[in-house]
Amino acid sequence: MIERSYEKYFRQNRLPHLWCPGCGNGIVMKAIVQAIEKKGWSQDNTVIVSGIGCSSRASGYMDFDTLHTAHGRAIPFATGVKMANPNLNVVVITGDGDCTAIGGNHFIHGCRRNIDLTVVLFNNNIYGMTGGQASPMTPLGKKATTAPYGSIDRPFDACKLAEAAGATYVARSTAFHVQHLVKLIADGMDNKGFSFIEALVQCPTAYGRRNKIGDPAKMMAWMRDNAVMKTAWDKLSEDKKIGDKFPIGLFYKVEEETYNDSYEKVRDIAGGSLR
Amino acid sequence: MKSEFTLKLDRCKGCGICAAFCPKQVLALDKLGKIYVADSEKCIACGQCELRCPDYAIFVDKVKEEKESVT
Ligand SMILES: Cc1ncc(C[n+]2csc(CCOP(=O)(O)OP(=O)(O)O)c2C)c(N)n1
Ligand code: SF4
Ligand code: SF4
């Protein structure tokens, strides 16, 4: 066999990764490096920044300049990297807890600034690493160690949140829809500005088991059976958008000035432009 | 069309995702929970197993069947 070309983007001496059998994180990590390969980004010019959580462990397996930061703080670190050197391609890896709980404010303000980052949210609907506490993206009625009778807190739709806060590229896919996910991440990388891609992933250990959803393949079959492409979703009448059905695809895209460009104007006015 | 499998068994965690999404029931888990090719003849080299393996442990390539040499 000819070794797959994406293998060069992994730190081979760190594999196999530590994720549980059937965890969806590995699928999304591969989708990210395949998108990077598609864009032709070099390993020396690309920085991967992650927060804390099972999903955020991905940066440790990826052979780029990587930053494994503090819980919820990946976007601020990434902002610093991009401001210090706007020529770098900066990818953020974050979890639903990391991004929308402890890091919620950093998330909306990153969107608001339209800082040129590609943020991939690994949404497993739970705090995986710490054993299954409810996150702001745990669906209503689903069980968690902190919601033994089912969650009563209405979940965030992180895509709607990103769009409302000012992100200029917003999309969602799943660990089942691998090629679709690769394309959406790659398109997000093309966008100059804050690009947000939510990737649904199965966490069989901390979420699936507690909610009796079954094995990893069953969790992925659920994604296959319930995800509806945006174009089809928009044609559905409201009474059909029920149960577990949810839309995937590109939700929003607009051109806006990036934070680096705005800041450059400040530099010009202040007389300190390096350009 | 024939297919050639490469298994990196030190990476395989026996999750069963590849076997579940194989349309031809080619793959199965052995007693130790590692994947093996149970029925390679049925394989259509669609690559669904490789596509979704979270551990990059299974690879499938199409191999052209050798033309019978006429001498
Ligand atoms: C400041 C701080 N608070 C709490 C924690 C404990 N902690 C580690 S990971 C985590 C949640 C992870 O959930 P998520 O971001 O959804 O990632 P997952 O593990 O599910 O991929 C928490 C609360 C921490 N490491 N640091
Ligand atoms: S606890 Fe869940 S998210 Fe963490 S590695 Fe295991 S399956 Fe993956
Ligand atoms: S999907 Fe990968 S890790 Fe899971 S059983 Fe198949 S080869 Fe093993």
Side-chain angles (χ1 to χ4, degrees):
Chain A
M1 180 195 81
I2 304 162
E3 193 74 353
R4 299 298 185 248
S5 54
Y6 60 78
E7 293 275 357
K8 67 173 173 290
Y9 299 107
F10 294 138
R11 293 177 179 149
Q12 292 297 329
N13 61 346
R14 296 295 173 91
L15 293 178
H17 52 60
L18 90 176
W19 294 313
C20 301
C23 174
N25 289 347
I27 298 175
V28 182
M29 180 166 83
K30 184 173 115 182
I32 294 172
V33 298
Q34 288 188 305
I36 289 173
E37 185 172 33
K38 223 170 143 177
K39 290 296 110 199
W41 287 2
S42 89
Q43 280 156 289
D44 294 331
N45 213 38
T46 303
V47 183
I48 313 285
V49 187
S50 65
I52 295 292
C54 294
S55 38
S56 289
R57 293 293 296 257
S59 57
Y61 303 111
M62 300 168 76
D63 198 7
F64 300 86
D65 288 317
T66 59
L67 277 168
H68 191 186
T69 68
H71 196 28
R73 273 56 177 170
I75 291 171
F77 277 83
T79 300
V81 171
K82 189 71 187 177
M83 292 308 286
N85 186 352
N87 296 321
L88 295 172
N89 305 306
V90 185
V91 177
V92 172
I93 291 177
T94 179
D96 46 306
D98 195 65
C99 187
T100 68
I102 192 167
N105 247 299
H106 298 305
F107 174 45
I108 57 175
H109 291 281
C111 294
R112 179 169 78 93
R113 284 171 159 169
N114 196 34
I115 175 95
D116 185 15
L117 309 173
T118 305
V119 178
V120 183
L121 168 68
F122 291 45
N123 177 17
N124 61 6
N125 305 113
I126 203 87
Y127 288 4
M129 177 164 270
T130 44
Q133 296 80 4
S135 90
M137 295 181 74
T138 301
L140 273 181
K142 292 294 183 220
K143 288 181 178 154
T145 56
T146 49
Y149 303 103
S151 176
I152 57 167
D153 295 41
R154 290 185 300 158
F156 275 139
D157 179 329
C159 289
K160 286 187 177 162
L161 189 59
E163 180 181 335
T168 50
Y169 177 98
V170 180
R172 177 190 291 130
S173 191
T174 84
F176 177 82
H177 301 83
V178 185
Q179 293 116 324
H180 181 248
L181 176 62
V182 173
K183 185 186 182 309
L184 287 178
I185 296 172
D187 289 352
M189 289 169 169
D190 279 338
N191 176 52
K192 289 268 155 283
F194 196 100
S195 304
F196 177 72
I197 301 101
E198 176 189 342
L200 228 74
V201 290
Q202 69 279 12
C203 165
T205 306
Y207 183 73
R209 215 166 35 174
R210 182 165 292 106
N211 285 290
K212 303 194 168 46
I213 307 176
D215 67 17
K218 288 220 178 75
M219 295 179 85
M220 291 175 80
W222 178 91
M223 296 173 192
R224 177 193 64 202
D225 298 340
N226 288 293
V228 181
M229 290 291 167
K230 166 93 170 46
T231 37
W233 178 264
D234 290 344
K235 289 187 199 122
L236 282 184
S237 56
E238 287 308 313
D239 58 312
K240 295 258 168 58
K241 296 178 183 173
I242 45 161
D244 288 340
K245 296 268 182 245
F246 65 95
I248 59 171
L250 173 64
F251 296 142
Y252 186 70
K253 189 173 174 346
V254 69
E255 256 182 58
E256 297 274 1
E257 188 171 88
T258 69
Y259 197 58
N260 283 101
D261 288 340
S262 312
Y263 190 67
E264 214 45 52
K265 286 184 184 163
V266 173
R267 280 226 255 238
D268 282 339
I269 297 166
S273 179
L274 298 174
R275 275 189 188 168
Chain B
M1 191 68 71
K2 279 184 79 179
S3 42
E4 179 191 75
F5 283 94
T6 307
L7 304 176
K8 296 190 178 175
L9 286 181
D10 53 339
R11 289 184 181 180
C12 173
K13 294 175 188 158
C15 66
I17 289 173
C18 56
F21 292 109
C22 169
K24 297 286 174 188
Q25 283 90 46
V26 169
L27 305 165
L29 291 173
D30 68 18
K31 277 185 185 158
L32 294 173
K34 296 273 182 183
I35 205 70
Y36 74 100
V37 182
D39 193 350
S40 64
E41 287 306 306
K42 283 199 281 181
C43 177
I44 54 169
C46 63
Q48 294 290 307
C49 51
E50 175 172 344
L51 185 67
R52 298 197 183 84
C53 171
D55 287 85
Y56 335 123
I58 185 163
F59 306 87
V60 58
D61 288 297
K62 286 178 191 157
V63 282
K64 287 211 178 85
E65 267 165 289
E66 298 275 309
K67 275 192 189 144
E68 275 178 58
S69 53
V70 191
T71 42

